[in-house]
Amino acid sequence: MSLVRRPTPARNGRAFADSSKSTKGEDSDSQTTIHPTYSNPKATPGAVNSQKPDFDLMVIGSGPAAQACAISSSRRGKKVAVIDKPGMLGGVCVNTGTIPSKTFREAVLHLTGYRHQGFYGKSYAPAGRISMEGILHRVSMVVKGEKDVMRNRFRQYGISHIYGTAHFTGEEKTVQVTSVAVEEEERKRRRTVGTAGAGLEVEPFSKPFTTEKALVAVGTTPARRADFDFDGVHIIDSDDLLSGSLQRVPRELIVVGAGVIGMEYASMFNVIPGTRVTVIDGRPDVLTFADKEIIQSLEYEMRQKGARFLLGEEVLNARVEGDHVVANMASGKVLRGDCLLYTVGRQGNTAGLGLDKAGVEVSKRGLMTVNDNYQTSVPWLYAAGDCIGFPALASTSSQQGRMAAHHMWGGDEGDALKAFGGFPYGIYTIPEISMVGYTEQQLTQQKIPYEMGVARYDELAKGQMMGGSSGMLKVLFHAETLKILGVHCMGESATEIVHVGQVAMDMGMDMHFLTENVFNYPTFAESYRVAAFNGLKRLALAGYTDVSQHQHEGAALP
């Protein structure tokens, strides 16, 4: 199964190439503009009329898809340039998405002592009162480190990195680039660490570049309701949350939207002492693409810690009154809180790129349509990552970038990449969730005979070492062939151990693979073996006598 966008609702894009708004510098909170760097000495700006293009590949954006495509192309000896806004090295993934949000979670887990409360009690908290400053300090350190890694990676592969904006003018295989100036402090840093590589620093410019291929990988940005007054303090989106504009941890947090982002942040704040969380969503259920039992367990865990869910509810309006926000519901309920976090939908950052001039259509929400090779309707123009819609994961975006590069330049690796169609989901709630393959709902709808094996964390030695950690692993398998069809887990290290199931599924393994292999002990990974024996026992009890020979080691069976 190729990672191609499924049909999704239309989205409105927020301008990616708008250089009129100020942006923050790479390594500080002060406004800084960054000079373009040409680390590839062969790359010369502005040679529009030459027969040989300025670059073999120009990439707009610098997130996972952009990096993977740029590096894969550079490895093939191609001249590559990556263009992104000042302060956005690493794209949405590093600056406002995956990396900061997951670091936010780790900071909360550490500062609250959550992982150790099973032994030392719910009052255990090594940090005392938790502050937004303390949480975001860790976030900023990780983001800075990630950017340093990326600068070094671009230098190693001779990729020209230009800080600026880009758009298409309508000329064939041409990208207009507007770079930005650099402050003296940034010049000194570049000379010190050598980020210019073997290239040449030039003055700010606005010039057209010719290119053989181009990739758009500009990511997405949070959607906003037009009737909400987003002030960065009382009514915010996920970008605001990470920007530092929220000065203190809210005591009453209202989260509108129970999608992945909403549920992640709701669960994080839910474990902070003194914070009460209310989650609102117009749908009757949350995260319906995931296994129903796993999501019900997540909701239970969150409710046990004080979270309130208002599902099937509609927010009519929200307004700021003094130091509070008031949300009026269609049902007549009125909610008051310190902060309202709006997490309903995201939109592509494609506005302002001039894609219409290039002959590429964009949906109302700024999403681009591509074929199986991540090629748009214009053969030399590709797109990958969140800006093409589903599945919009950092992991799949990186794979999409590689696959796009393989199609651009040819080779056998592209077919090999497509051979493995299954990809895991990781939802970084507290506790975390991960899955790969079919859900029970899907197997039931498709009338596939299946059985399941379950291992619960509190029955594992590793779970006891973690303070009686709550969690579970569920393995779904075909009742007749024993082939593994799906893996679903919740709890500590769920996003790590899911890969055991992913590999087993990609290799076409059955449940014998799990029972006949030895796992390190004590680990959460051994839950696979426990779950396999549990599933085979269920199968035997259902009348499948041919599996009884695999039910040895009775101590491992429930």
Side-chain angles (χ1 to χ4, degrees), residues 42 60 94 314 343 423 438 449 463 543:
K42 296 180 181 179
I60 305 176
V94 168
E314 178 187 356
T343 64
F423 58 87
Y438 287 99

Side-chain angles (χ1 to χ4, degrees), residues 291 293-294 297 440 451-460 471-477 488-490 511 514 526-538 556-558:
D291 184 84
E293 182 182 8
I294 293 289
S297 298
E440 286 198 71
E451 188 51 86
M452 67 176 181
V454 176
R456 302 195 180 276
Y457 276 18
D458 57 8
E459 297 174 349
L460 302 175
M472 64 180 290
L473 171 77
K474 179 197 291 188
V475 180
L476 306 179
F477 60 98
H488 305 269
C489 40
M490 182 193 77
M511 295 295 276
L514 301 179
E526 69 161 326
S527 59
Y528 277 96
R529 199 160 189 258
V530 175
F533 281 123
N534 174 261
L536 292 176
K537 180 180 180 181
R538 290 171 183 263
L557 296 174

Side-chain angles (χ1 to χ4, degrees), residues 502-518:
Q502 178 189 4
V503 171
M505 289 173 62
D506 278 341
M507 294 174 64
M509 296 298 178
D510 61 20
M511 295 295 276
H512 300 163
F513 174 77
L514 301 179
T515 60
E516 294 171 2
N517 272 284
V518 177

Side-chain angles (χ1 to χ4, degrees), residues 5 7-15 218-226 283 342-351 355 361-369 386-390:
R5 175 193 158 199
T8 55
R11 301 189 178 191
N12 289 317
R14 196 181 290 177
V218 293
T220 59
T221 195
R224 288 186 166 190
R225 272 182 60 163
R283 296 164 294 189
Y342 187 80
T343 64
V344 181
R346 293 183 69 86
Q347 54 196 26
N349 278 323
T350 53
L355 289 168
E361 292 185 0
V362 178
S363 74
K364 291 181 179 179
R365 286 202 169 183
L367 299 181
M368 302 171 66
T369 300
D386 290 10
C387 66
I388 67 171
F390 177 87

Side-chain angles (χ1 to χ4, degrees), residues 184-417:
E184 182 60 28
E185 182 179 348
E186 177 61 17
R187 289 182 186 272
K188 291 178 180 178
R189 187 191 69 79
R190 285 177 176 272
R191 285 196 292 268
T192 300
V193 301
T195 53
L200 172 70
E201 290 193 357
V202 298
E203 293 304 314
F205 63 84
S206 180
K207 295 180 180 180
F209 289 81
T210 56
T211 182
E212 185 65 26
K213 306 287 184 182
L215 175 78
V216 175
V218 293
T220 59
T221 195
R224 288 186 166 190
R225 272 182 60 163
D227 59 333
F228 279 21
D229 183 16
F230 289 84
D231 61 0
V233 177
H234 301 97
I235 301 179
I236 65 174
D237 60 26
S238 57
D239 284 6
D240 294 326
L241 182 60
L242 296 167
S243 71
S245 62
L246 188 64
Q247 296 294 313
R248 57 178 181 165
V249 176
R251 292 187 175 275
E252 294 280 350
L253 176 65
I254 301 170
V255 179
V256 179
V260 172
I261 295 173
M263 288 293 285
E264 285 182 346
Y265 279 121
S267 68
M268 293 176 204
F269 279 99
N270 194 47
V271 301
I272 297 178
T275 296
R276 289 182 290 186
V277 176
T278 300
V279 180
I280 304 170
D281 199 282
R283 296 164 294 189
D285 299 295
V286 303
L287 303 176
T288 53
F289 63 89
D291 184 84
K292 188 173 183 179
E293 182 182 8
I294 293 289
I295 298 305
Q296 288 175 340
S297 298
L298 172 64
E299 288 184 47
Y300 174 79
E301 291 289 333
M302 290 179 64
R303 284 192 173 100
Q304 286 293 98
K305 293 174 177 61
R308 179 188 183 191
F309 288 89
L310 298 179
L311 303 180
E313 294 268 16
E314 178 187 356
V315 180
L316 292 180
N317 57 67
R319 66 185 184 279
V320 178
E321 291 185 357
D323 289 334
H324 293 83
V325 59
V326 178
N328 293 290
M329 314 295 290
S331 63
K333 296 184 181 71
V334 178
L335 301 180
R336 292 176 63 86
D338 301 315
C339 180
L340 184 149
L341 174 60
Y342 187 80
T343 64
V344 181
R346 293 183 69 86
Q347 54 196 26
N349 278 323
T350 53
L353 290 178
L355 289 168
D356 55 334
K357 296 178 181 178
V360 177
E361 292 185 0
V362 178
S363 74
K364 291 181 179 179
R365 286 202 169 183
L367 299 181
M368 302 171 66
T369 300
V370 295
N371 62 20
D372 288 353
N373 300 306
Y374 304 97
Q375 194 174 30
T376 68
S377 57
V378 177
W380 62 275
L381 183 53
Y382 292 70
D386 290 10
C387 66
I388 67 171
F390 177 87
L393 302 171
S395 55
T396 54
S397 294
S398 180
Q399 188 78 330
Q400 289 169 359
R402 288 183 64 202
M403 291 171 71
H406 290 306
H407 185 261
M408 291 174 184
W409 316 119
D412 298 332
E413 292 181 70
D415 293 333
L417 286 172

Side-chain angles (χ1 to χ4, degrees), residues 122-200:
K122 294 182 179 180
S123 61
Y124 175 76
R129 182 157 183 80
I130 298 168
S131 67
M132 289 300 297
E133 181 182 6
I135 295 172
L136 294 179
H137 171 73
R138 182 165 181 161
V139 172
S140 65
M141 293 294 289
V142 172
V143 169
K144 181 179 179 180
E146 281 291 297
K147 290 185 177 185
D148 285 342
V149 169
M150 289 175 193
R151 289 191 192 97
N152 185 54
R153 192 172 294 162
F154 283 166
R155 183 178 57 164
Q156 286 179 327
Y157 286 99
I159 296 170
S160 299
H161 183 206
I162 304 173
Y163 285 102
T165 59
H167 66 273
F168 299 97
T169 63
E171 293 186 48
E172 180 75 7
K173 297 187 176 183
T174 302
V175 178
Q176 182 76 22
V177 177
T178 301
S179 74
V180 294
V182 64
E183 293 182 354
E184 182 60 28
E185 182 179 348
E186 177 61 17
R187 289 182 186 272
K188 291 178 180 178
R189 187 191 69 79
R190 285 177 176 272
R191 285 196 292 268
T192 300
V193 301
T195 53
L200 172 70

